[in-house]
Amino acid sequence: MSAEMSARPGMPLRAALEVLRAHRRPSDVVITSMGTAREWMAMGPLDPLDFVFVPSSMGEAPPLGLGLALAQPKRRVIACNGDGSTLMNLGALVTIAAESPPNLVLVIFDNGVYEVTGAQPVPGARMVDYAAIARASGIRSVARFDSQDAWHDGAAAAIGLAGPVCIVLDVAPVPGAVGPKSPGPTAVRGPAFMEVVRGEGGR
């Protein structure tokens, strides 16, 4: 990673996720992928309602979150997505707005690079306004935070907005980051996760 990339402004990814974890309700589903999955797993034991979307295709965490939010209206679903992954599937924002699930929170982590493949710059890095794109797609509850302090102070209010919610966080790339490893076979994890989701508090 170049000195320019490592010096990019933005809050530490781990710190941003720690704030999210602190405001996560016991009944919330949290979907992570790519860099967020790597850091989320490193922060401690997974909750049964965590779905680490590894392996995955870029941009597929928001549609997965949308499907879960529609199928499980009594649960809040938090889907974590990178800026590069968001660019790969911008149409998901329009679909989320059209379906308008009140229990979906999409968090976009904008670090300006494709981190898990070698920190190649994302096209339009730091020039693309993902919050504005979300609003233009029809998502009305949108928030953006460019510092750890601001996110710490404003997280509860932002996550609690009428959904669907899109939150954009400016985060710094993780130097030398690698791709996440799956916590286990998807064929085993998937059914176990769905059994928990359909349990108490679900549908």
Side-chain angles (χ1 to χ4, degrees), residues 4-80:
E4 179 183 357
M5 284 296 174
S6 62
R8 291 177 68 89
M11 69 190 88
L13 176 57
R14 180 79 63 90
L17 287 168
E18 286 173 349
V19 172
L20 185 62
R21 180 170 283 199
H23 291 283
R24 183 248 190 100
R25 297 187 302 213
S27 60
D28 288 348
V29 170
V30 176
I31 301 167
T32 55
S33 64
M34 306 297 175
T36 60
R38 180 194 65 237
E39 299 300 320
W40 193 262
M41 287 188 286
M43 289 163 60
L46 294 174
D47 186 278
L49 288 171
D50 288 337
F51 189 76
V52 177
F53 197 16
V54 179
S56 67
S57 298
M58 291 180 67
E60 295 306 310
L64 177 59
L66 172 61
L68 279 167
L70 293 173
Q72 296 290 318
K74 295 181 181 179
R75 292 192 185 279
R76 184 166 64 187
V77 178
I78 302 172
C80 301

Side-chain angles (χ1 to χ4, degrees), residues 148-172:
Q148 184 177 344
D149 287 343
W151 172 227
H152 180 274
D153 294 342
I159 295 170
L161 290 170
V165 179
C166 180
I167 299 170
V168 182
L169 303 179
D170 291 341
V171 298

Side-chain angles (χ1 to χ4, degrees), residues 6 16 27-28 37 48 51 54 86 93 99 120 128 136 145 160 162 194:
S6 62
S27 60
D28 288 348
F51 189 76
V54 179
T86 299
L93 298 177
E99 294 296 332
Q120 302 91 344
V128 177
F145 299 93
M194 290 311 300

